[in-house]
Amino acid sequence: MRILTIICLLCFSLSSGAQHNNNPIANFNSDSYWQKTRLIHHLPAYAITNNDTPMVVISNRKLTDDSIRYMSESRCESGVLYFFVFTHNGIWNVLPVPSLEVAIQYMPDKNRDWVAYTEGMGKLFTTDLNRGLSLAAQYDVNVIMFDYPSITTTKKSLGNYFFAMGNAHKAYRYFLPAIGTIKDLQTAGKMGTGKLTLFYHSMGNHVARGIVKHHKLDAINDVVWVDNLVLNAPCVPRRGHKRWINQIKFAKRIYINYNNNDFTLGGAYLVSKKLQLGHRPIRNISHEANVNYINFNTLCGQGHSNFLTLTGVQVCKPRSRDLYSAQLHGNDVNVHDTTLFTQSHFKHIGWELKP
């Protein structure tokens, strides 16, 4: 019983820590939060600019008949929905659109760098919008947010862990066609002149892993069309990761951001009994020239979401922000810069950010 209690508490850290450490799920599911996440049916008369923090959202949630909570906590088996989202006067405006290409055409500056961003556990639709808009604003990038149900108000902590994991495992089926569309648009020059990064956080890494493990990689792996593939704090098994990562040829560079003292991924290990790639990536690591492991432990302690500043919750450390800025803007990180990096103290695997 004591062990089960500890596991449940650690599971709670996965769900609450994955959103806002001090704000329960009720905050993101409150009437006031949903009312500022307004579903609209046509573009406004005024011109949308980057000051309105625009982004694209791809979601596999079911729509509901609720006029306030219009996006559900369950999957839509028939496919995905596309939205163009922008902020204005404190309101998050959510416009349904027929396709990803239409949503991208609405972005006011297609020549900015792009980030296709998939989050981990603990996200309602409103939470994912909060994360995506925060990333877009803090890093001055165009965001394509991949949203899937990763928490539900109908379950408690342990149930939510398995709920999120089940949806994360299946998410690649829904999102692969959209990733293929991004590839087609990018290679055709329809996404402007900016660089492109695929950024997977925590359980969101199951999308990248699932595409490879289920033999769906060929459709997007024939040319190099991504600048950076960032596997951030990956909540996926470390075992065998070299085999699937080494098959990826579509990205110029692959970064595996880990933390050997990550509290959240330590909890994932206790629940799953599988060591996580973002926690302790030992044994059979990738030695491909374009793959770099970066350890955040000395700089960020037990931190898991080290890339965002969240009001009233956490402040992204300047050195952490500088690294993520380089990765998210599709740049090559100079891990040999001794003013910023040293060899990782954890089994000498990759590099470590200095404090």
Side-chain angles (χ1 to χ4, degrees):
M1 180 61 71
R2 182 182 177 188
I3 293 175
L4 181 59
T5 300
I6 292 171
I7 289 175
C8 289
L9 287 171
L10 288 167
C11 281
F12 179 75
S13 79
L14 283 166
S15 60
S16 62
Q19 324 178 47
H20 281 180
N21 294 336
N22 298 323
N23 291 323
I25 187 175
N27 179 43
F28 292 97
N29 200 39
S30 65
D31 285 357
S32 61
Y33 220 97
W34 275 102
Q35 285 165 353
K36 83 168 188 176
T37 310
R38 183 179 299 165
L39 190 66
I40 62 173
H41 300 289
H42 54 79
L43 288 173
Y46 57 83
I48 297 168
T49 71
N50 286 329
N51 291 331
D52 296 307
T53 317
M55 74 170 180
V56 175
V57 177
I58 302 167
S59 179
N60 69 341
R61 296 177 190 268
K62 287 181 182 178
L63 283 168
T64 73
D65 295 327
D66 191 323
S67 61
I68 297 177
R69 295 171 181 81
Y70 51 86
M71 293 293 278
S72 73
E73 299 167 9
S74 57
R75 298 193 313 271
C76 175
E77 298 297 341
S78 62
V80 298
L81 300 170
Y82 301 98
F83 301 95
F84 174 63
V85 178
F86 60 96
T87 65
H88 194 76
N89 292 334
I91 299 297
W92 300 352
N93 298 279
V94 181
L95 176 71
V97 293
S99 69
L100 177 57
E101 187 168 8
V102 169
I104 287 173
Q105 287 303 312
Y106 287 153
M107 295 292 285
D109 183 3
K110 287 183 284 296
N111 291 322
R112 296 210 301 179
D113 295 324
W114 290 83
V115 178
Y117 172 23
T118 309
E119 255 291 345
M121 181 179 171
K123 310 300 181 294
L124 300 170
F125 183 70
T126 48
T127 327
D128 260 342
L129 261 59
N130 178 61
R131 285 294 182 105
L133 292 168
S134 295
L135 191 83
Q138 290 174 32
Y139 289 98
D140 295 318
V141 290
N142 287 337
V143 168
I144 301 173
M145 187 84 201
F146 287 87
D147 164 65
Y148 64 94
S150 60
I151 200 166
T152 174
T153 54
T154 65
K155 297 181 184 296
K156 295 184 179 180
S157 297
L158 190 59
N160 259 314
Y161 173 83
F162 293 108
F163 172 84
M165 187 61 76
N167 281 323
H169 273 285
K170 295 179 177 68
Y172 80 93
R173 304 177 188 172
Y174 297 86
F175 295 152
L176 179 58
I179 295 170
T181 300
I182 294 172
K183 174 203 166 190
D184 293 342
L185 295 174
Q186 174 75 348
T187 54
K190 294 183 179 180
M191 291 176 63
T193 58
K195 295 178 180 178
L196 173 63
T197 294
L198 303 189
F199 183 78
Y200 296 97
H201 177 60
S202 197
M203 277 190 192
N205 282 272
H206 278 285
V207 174
R209 182 176 184 266
I211 289 170
V212 183
K213 298 287 282 185
H214 292 276
H215 311 292
K216 304 296 184 182
L217 184 61
D218 287 351
I220 59 172
N221 210 36
D222 55 332
V223 296
V224 176
W225 56 280
V226 169
D227 292 282
N228 288 341
L229 170 61
V230 181
L231 308 178
N232 191 64
C235 188
V236 298
R238 75 173 187 191
R239 185 176 181 180
H241 77 271
K242 180 179 80 170
R243 291 195 295 273
W244 65 267
I245 287 174
N246 284 358
Q247 294 180 54
I248 296 173
K249 306 300 179 186
F250 62 76
K252 292 179 184 176
R253 293 168 290 271
I254 300 174
Y255 295 100
I256 301 169
N257 296 333
Y258 76 99
N259 179 352
N260 62 279
N261 200 27
D262 187 316
F263 181 75
T264 296
L265 296 184
Y269 164 69
L270 288 179
V271 177
S272 67
K273 296 302 181 184
K274 294 179 181 178
L275 288 165
Q276 303 299 301
L277 175 57
H279 189 206
R280 298 186 174 183
I282 58 177
R283 296 183 183 176
N284 295 320
I285 64 171
S286 174
H287 294 286
E288 293 292 304
N290 69 330
V291 177
N292 275 300
Y293 295 77
I294 298 179
N295 189 358
F296 282 71
N297 177 236
T298 299
L299 181 67
C300 297
Q302 295 183 324
H304 180 63
S305 295
N306 301 311
F307 57 97
L308 283 179
T309 291
L310 300 171
T311 303
V313 178
Q314 66 182 32
V315 175
C316 182
K317 295 179 182 295
R319 288 212 171 188
S320 181
R321 190 191 186 285
D322 289 345
L323 171 65
Y324 281 111
S325 182
Q327 291 180 339
L328 295 172
H329 281 277
N331 296 325
D332 188 359
V333 175
N334 182 11
V335 293
H336 301 289
D337 183 346
T338 56
T339 65
L340 300 175
F341 296 95
T342 186
Q343 188 175 48
S344 175
H345 75 277
F346 179 72
K347 309 292 185 182
H348 304 297
I349 295 173
W351 309 93
E352 185 151 1
L353 273 171
K354 290 183 175 181

